[in-house]
Amino acid sequence: MKYFFINPKAEILFFYAAVLFNLYPLFFGTFFPFMDAPAHLYNASLINALLKQDAFVHTYMQFNSTIVPNWISYFITSPLLRVVPPNIAEKAVLLVFFIGLPFSVRYAIKAFNEKAGYLAFLSIPICYNFLTMISFFNFSIGFVSLFYAIGFFYKKICVQQAAWHHYLLFLVLLLATYFSHIVLTGVLLLFLFFVYIFHTYKQQGTHIAGYFSKKTITLVALALPVVFLVVKYIAGVHANGHGTYTYLSNYELVNYITSGRIFTVFNGDQEGAYSGLLAIIYIGLLAISLYFFVLYFSQKKELYAAFFFPSLLVFAFLLVLYKVLPDGDGLAGYVTIRIVIILFLIAILVVANIPLNPTFGITICGLALCIHFMRLPYYANVIKNQDELALSVFKQAEAIKEKSFVVDCKWNDNWLTHNFVNYLGVNKSVLCLMNYEASLPYFPLRWNNAYQISVWRNNLLSFKNIEETKKSLENKNIYYWIQGDINNRTDSASLAFTQNIKNYCVEINRTDFASLYQLK
């Protein structure tokens, strides 16, 4: 058993097998039917419409004039939508992350500690984290470029004599991280700065001239465009203002880490025990590693200092941010969970710097995988059930005419289907007036006039100024898509809405999940 895992060829085969097995829940559904996934597919389709000069879409939408970070998933999805069905394009995005994360973490580890590559097994359970499962695709994919950039920077630029194509590829990785998420870009730049300082110190000591070499100047020049984009983006977002800051209590902050909150996605009763056990493994392994660090440091044993101290400094800096930053600002949220995910992944790098007993390390990795794999049937079942709803909405789109508008109304309590209305516009030129991405400054597309869109949507939902609104929308076809049973509400507002639907609309499609009406 020991030699099977330690043997490099056997270990890499097992790693491939674990990564592939980790994918199987993703194929239990045609779509990845959670939260923001329909919005991402829909907006990828709108990007193609704008590029093709679709006059109908151009009338109401435009590209964001700010070079925003949240582009990376659209760089993948939009071109693919031109040649493959939407569900295949979506699967490609998922595979980039679910395969890319373990391999990028492994690459980063092996760049400085060839013997610790097996610790990348610990990144596999993190693939099924809360944010990825509710379809924060851009943020998730950013980890792939982040860890490849870390490993590439140390291995090809710090240690070796870098050629021009190494610098070019490094710039591509920096830009890929920026176009994923602003927070990951900051983490990457900070990490690389510490790595370079510690590596240069190891080579040059206190010789100041060594810190201002040709390589240093080249790296600063490469980083400047990314820093410029970061500063410009932050300044632009700040100019747009923000909502009310929300903070978590100290108890919640501690609990998010110790309970493994990042591993709990849909149901705490179903997932909580597994999440807690995984958290114990990650926290325990980090604590043991730090103990050995103190022990080795006191005995002046060799450590991978060029990576250990940068990893630890970034980890400590993130802990400070975790304490002081708000969880949301009324426009963007889940800040604390984002930081916890980063902390767990950076913790793997910290552990990889300590020369642990391989048998012990592999045993811990195997235990984490066993616990994680026990979660997968549950996720497969949730995906399968949600996918039935997604497919029913996707099929309802057949009843909608091209160049139409859709207004939505949600009368159920399934939080995972909040953006399912966007499935109606994935395959045709349809504008959903509920498009949260176009209403925020963080995404590639913007409404030409977000305020006017809001007015029209409110008019249609309240059945006020209907004729005027129809005229403003050039008398195009207007549809009402309603989640839940329209006849199941008894409060006065719902009864009034139901009566208006009957008076002003005609039903054209109904499923157990949602009804579709067309305005007369």
Side-chain angles (χ1 to χ4, degrees), residues 397-413:
E398 297 173 3
I400 296 177
K401 297 177 181 179
E402 293 275 356
K403 318 297 183 187
S404 300
F405 296 91
V406 177
V407 61
D408 71 300
C409 183
K410 193 172 186 295
W411 281 2
N412 63 21
D413 56 1

Side-chain angles (χ1 to χ4, degrees), residues 60-74:
Y60 303 96
M61 305 207 74
Q62 61 181 305
F63 286 107
N64 196 332
S65 58
T66 302
I67 305 176
V68 295
N70 291 308
W71 261 103
I72 196 71
S73 68
Y74 301 105

Side-chain angles (χ1 to χ4, degrees), residues 3 80 94 97 108 122 214 217 219 244 275 312-313 403 447:
Y3 291 103
L80 286 176
L94 291 167
F97 173 68
L122 292 172
K214 181 180 177 181
I217 296 170
L219 290 173
T244 303
S275 301
L312 196 60
L313 284 171
K403 318 297 183 187
W447 292 113

Side-chain angles (χ1 to χ4, degrees), residues 138-189:
N138 295 301
F139 178 75
S140 299
I141 292 173
F143 284 110
V144 179
S145 57
L146 182 146
F147 283 105
Y148 271 123
I150 289 172
F152 186 84
F153 177 76
Y154 184 71
K155 185 175 182 179
K156 299 295 185 181
I157 295 179
C158 288
V159 176
Q160 299 179 7
Q161 187 66 35
W164 67 268
H165 61 275
H166 291 132
Y167 287 114
L168 180 60
L169 184 53
F170 175 63
L171 178 59
V172 170
L173 289 170
L174 283 179
L175 289 171
T177 307
Y178 172 78
F179 283 113
S180 299
H181 200 272
I182 191 77
V183 171
L184 296 182
T185 307
V187 171
L188 176 59
L189 291 174

